[in-house]
Amino acid sequence: MSRTAWESREVGPVSAGGARVAVGFAGLVDGPLDAPGAREEALRRAAACGYLGVPDEEAAR
């Protein structure tokens, strides 16, 4: 079965490749994804902005 350009397919999340630097994402991320504390800071910002699905304990880590 061949796919055409207008067909879509659901895929799961994948890791960012390349230099792994992200800028933007509503101000949640701004710099290297592998920097110490980057994940925790992004979760803290998400919780502070009221994003749904950010458990309090994740934001506090």
Side-chain angles (χ1 to χ4, degrees):
M1 169 192 212
S2 67
R3 291 196 164 286
T4 59
W6 58 87
E7 290 184 85
S8 65
R9 192 170 17 167
E10 189 172 320
V11 297
V14 296
S15 287
R20 295 188 45 82
V21 174
V23 177
F25 296 93
L28 300 179
V29 180
D30 190 17
L33 297 176
D34 297 322
R39 179 180 188 272
E40 293 79 10
E41 180 61 15
L43 289 171
R44 186 196 65 74
R45 289 177 181 177
C49 290
Y51 279 80
L52 299 176
V54 181
D56 292 334
E57 63 273 5
E58 283 284 35
R61 267 201 246 172

